[in-house]
Amino acid sequence: MAGQVNVNIENKQWAVAFASTPSELVQGLGGIPEMSQGTGMLFDLGFEQTITVTTEPMLFPLDIAFFSEGLVITEIYRNIQPGYLVTSTSPARYFLEVNGGELDGINAGSQASFEFLTPVDAVTNLF
């Protein structure tokens, strides 16, 4: 079930939808025409692994951050245009997708915190 999470990294915060089921992980943000600033989606793959993200169904550029089990950013990809594949170079459990440019000033090694809120249809409510 999709839920909502507040993601905090350094002095920035995003209110994001949470994806963890197979259908949520596949659907992601595909087909959404735009996102408000400060929103996005957090994906939980359940355990650390090499992750491949497709931006094929996206309609706008994304910043993508990969996180370890301990919520440390392992790598960031910035302003990824629609139509590309992004593969983590080290194992990660989570990844965050936000509007292109919103992760400016944040780097690999930064610690994040996730505040899980009551499950809601966050994709509908946030965008």
Side-chain angles (χ1 to χ4, degrees):
M1 168 185 345
Q4 187 174 347
V5 179
N6 288 333
V7 175
N8 298 287
I9 308 169
E10 296 182 12
N11 62 347
K12 296 184 178 186
Q13 182 179 58
W14 294 266
V16 302
F18 180 68
S20 62
T21 67
S23 62
E24 293 165 352
L25 294 170
V26 169
Q27 175 61 40
L29 297 172
I32 294 171
E34 63 183 7
M35 290 191 303
S36 300
Q37 187 172 19
T39 65
M41 184 168 270
L42 177 67
F43 299 80
D44 179 359
L45 277 67
F47 59 92
E48 288 188 344
Q49 59 189 286
T50 300
I51 300 172
T52 299
V53 178
T54 181
T55 63
E56 184 67 35
M58 297 307 304
L59 301 174
F60 50 88
L62 294 173
D63 283 357
I64 302 170
F66 293 96
F67 300 86
S68 70
E69 188 93 26
L71 308 185
V72 174
I73 296 176
T74 57
E75 53 198 299
I76 297 176
Y77 294 86
R78 301 175 197 282
N79 285 309
I80 305 301
Q81 299 298 314
Y84 287 90
L85 289 177
V86 174
T87 302
S88 63
T89 58
S90 59
R93 175 174 174 173
Y94 305 95
F95 67 97
L96 174 69
E97 294 181 346
V98 296
N99 284 306
E102 288 193 27
L103 292 177
D104 287 352
I106 295 174
N107 296 300
S110 293
Q111 178 71 51
S113 65
F114 301 161
E115 177 188 359
F116 290 85
L117 307 174
T118 305
V120 295
D121 185 1
V123 174
T124 301
N125 292 336
L126 289 176
F127 311 116

